[in-house]
Amino acid sequence: MTRLHQQLLYIAALASATLLSADALNIIIGSSGGDTSHKPITTNNPSRRNFVQFGLVAAAASSMPTMAANAVDAQFKEVGQQERPPEGESPFSTLPNGVQIKDFRQGSGSTVQNGSRVELTMKGRLLNLNGVIFYDTKSNDPNGFGEGTPLQFTVGDKSVLPGLESGLIGMSRGGIRRIIVPAEVGYGAFPSLEPQPLTDVERRALDSVVKNPRRDQTVMFDCKVERLK
């Protein structure tokens, strides 16, 4: 069931549970101290009944954006805290430049170092926008097979965000790591460096944060090393 379906069911249930009967409305009007000469409200008066229904449904609908936002916020409220730390260690390690890293799978073989040629499959998310994706290597899919095209670069050639580069150091082929990059070593200071969005939707998402200095420009990358030379 989609979130939209859940929201619609919520509204319907709230309206159904809260609608007052015609007799109950008459009692309220009669006991309010006002004019008791009103004609009784009956179910044969569709205009009044529809007005009551519309008001209750509108009130429920007005609370939907807040409910949905809270549900999404909870998903990224404490990034990196969702999983139990392995062997009692802290979920993330913090590097001297403020980048935070956490390994989800250890690779094998040689490790990424300055000068290494790497190929990565990865996703980038905007923490300020509750984890909206602004970069996905699968979006670069010229063959249409859904596999995408890995991001390729040489570590240290200054073509990629320095925060992302430092977060990759020590990874091996097949390894998967989550890297949180603060603005100072990310798009806040280096907005033109890779990785850059591959679709118009991703571009608008990134620009909405990078071009707004009042927003937190911290980003999160989930990276897998596909090849390493």
Side-chain angles (χ1 to χ4, degrees):
M1 181 181 295
T2 66
R3 182 173 296 169
L4 177 59
H5 290 159
Q6 293 174 338
Q7 292 170 343
L8 292 175
L9 288 175
Y10 169 79
I11 293 174
L14 181 61
S16 175
T18 314
L19 281 175
L20 298 175
S21 67
D23 291 340
L25 286 174
N26 287 324
I27 292 173
I28 293 173
I29 293 174
S31 62
S32 63
D35 183 4
T36 59
S37 63
H38 297 286
K39 291 182 179 180
I41 297 176
T42 68
T43 54
N44 294 324
N45 190 341
S47 62
R48 291 188 178 184
R49 182 184 61 199
N50 292 342
F51 176 78
V52 172
Q53 292 174 338
F54 175 80
L56 291 170
V57 173
S62 67
S63 66
M64 285 171 53
T66 300
M67 294 170 55
N70 289 340
V72 176
D73 287 344
Q75 190 178 18
F76 289 93
K77 185 176 181 180
E78 296 181 5
V79 174
Q81 307 297 320
Q82 297 95 333
E83 295 192 6
R84 182 174 299 174
E87 300 179 359
E89 297 179 3
S90 59
F92 276 86
S93 298
T94 302
L95 306 181
N97 60 0
V99 171
Q100 299 179 65
I101 60 174
K102 177 182 178 181
D103 287 314
F104 285 82
R105 180 196 296 172
Q106 296 289 340
S108 59
S110 59
T111 60
V112 176
Q113 302 294 333
N114 192 42
S116 297
R117 180 71 178 175
V118 297
E119 293 186 14
L120 307 174
T121 52
M122 55 186 291
K123 285 185 179 181
R125 296 179 181 271
L126 298 166
L127 300 190
N128 184 266
L129 297 183
N130 299 320
V132 167
I133 294 174
F134 71 91
Y135 180 83
D136 188 346
T137 50
K138 288 188 176 182
S139 298
N140 186 13
D141 187 28
N143 296 323
F145 294 123
E147 296 179 350
T149 304
L151 175 67
Q152 305 178 36
F153 63 96
T154 299
V155 177
D157 67 1
K158 299 183 179 180
S159 65
V160 174
L161 298 176
L164 175 58
E165 283 190 330
S166 63
L168 294 170
I169 298 297
M171 292 187 69
S172 301
R173 182 177 179 180
I176 298 176
R177 179 176 290 180
R178 175 163 289 176
I179 304 171
I180 298 178
V181 180
E184 294 77 12
V185 286
Y187 293 107
F190 306 94
S192 62
L193 293 186
E194 294 289 343
Q196 290 294 316
L198 299 170
T199 68
D200 291 340
V201 173
E202 293 172 354
R203 167 56 64 188
R204 287 194 293 270
L206 181 59
D207 285 349
S208 70
V209 171
V210 172
K211 294 183 178 181
N212 187 343
R214 294 176 296 178
R215 284 185 166 176
D216 181 5
Q217 297 169 344
T218 300
V219 295
M220 181 177 74
F221 295 102
D222 289 328
C223 306
K224 179 182 179 182
V225 177
E226 299 289 353
R227 292 186 180 181
L228 171 62
K229 296 180 181 179

